[in-house]
Amino acid sequence: MAYQNPISKTASSSFIESVRKEEHKNCFCGRRARLCTLWTLKNPGRRFFSCATPKEINGCHFFQWFEEEFCGRSLDVITHLNHRRIYLEEKLKLVEENLAESIEKKIVLKAEKKALIEGRMKLDAEKKNLKKQLRLC
């Protein structure tokens, strides 16, 4: 069975071909432009082309939007999901920190348990010796 592109099931082939052509833009300096994604509050998830050469290294400052601006509802959804992602990442970080603390406490408690067991064994041995001495007396 041949591989089927999942996009082709929902979009026309002419649309896919036009997107593929658009993905290969050349900037002013003749190089292939990079396709980047913005994650600003105003344009979250919006893609654009820019010069592949960094501006600090004499890039041509090429900039062109890849797609039209998102509608207001899309911006709201993307922004909400981005805030949710940030919240969950912070929560995960706290859980990981708590887990690390718990692991450290577990290690300390294991060491204390081992010391207590060794101390009890010593006390049991001393008790046994004292019982022997008491019988001899």
Side-chain angles (χ1 to χ4, degrees):
M1 180 176 204
Y3 171 76
Q4 291 182 343
N5 186 343
I7 295 174
S8 63
K9 292 180 183 177
T10 58
S12 69
S13 60
S14 61
F15 173 76
I16 293 168
E17 289 172 11
S18 67
V19 170
R20 287 183 183 147
K21 289 177 188 174
E22 285 290 316
E23 288 179 359
H24 304 291
K25 282 263 188 223
N26 289 332
C27 59
F28 301 134
C29 56
R31 295 186 184 99
R32 181 178 282 182
R34 292 184 305 172
L35 183 59
C36 304
T37 304
L38 276 178
W39 289 106
T40 61
L41 291 176
K42 186 177 178 184
N43 293 299
R46 192 167 179 201
R47 297 183 296 174
F48 65 96
F49 290 105
S50 72
C51 181
T53 306
K55 293 177 184 177
E56 299 82 33
I57 310 176
N58 298 327
C60 67
H61 305 283
F62 177 77
F63 177 88
Q64 182 179 1
W65 290 114
F66 175 75
E67 53 209 355
E68 296 298 317
E69 189 173 354
F70 296 131
C71 70
R73 176 71 179 139
S74 297
L75 288 175
D76 290 344
V77 169
I78 292 170
T79 301
H80 169 74
L81 292 173
N82 200 26
H83 288 310
R84 183 76 176 149
R85 178 191 57 83
I86 291 168
Y87 167 77
L88 291 172
E89 285 175 353
E90 290 172 355
K91 193 170 183 176
L92 175 63
K93 185 178 177 183
L94 289 174
V95 168
E96 288 173 341
E97 288 172 358
N98 288 340
L99 177 63
E101 288 176 12
S102 296
I103 290 171
E104 288 175 18
K105 286 179 183 177
K106 182 179 176 181
I107 291 169
V108 169
L109 289 173
K110 275 188 171 183
E112 288 177 2
K113 179 182 175 183
K114 184 178 178 182
L116 288 172
I117 290 171
E118 289 173 358
R120 182 175 182 184
M121 290 172 64
K122 287 179 185 178
L123 286 174
D124 287 344
E126 284 182 38
K127 181 180 173 183
K128 193 175 183 181
N129 284 338
L130 288 173
K131 281 186 178 181
K132 280 183 186 178
Q133 288 177 2
L134 186 59
R135 282 187 207 150
L136 294 175
C137 294

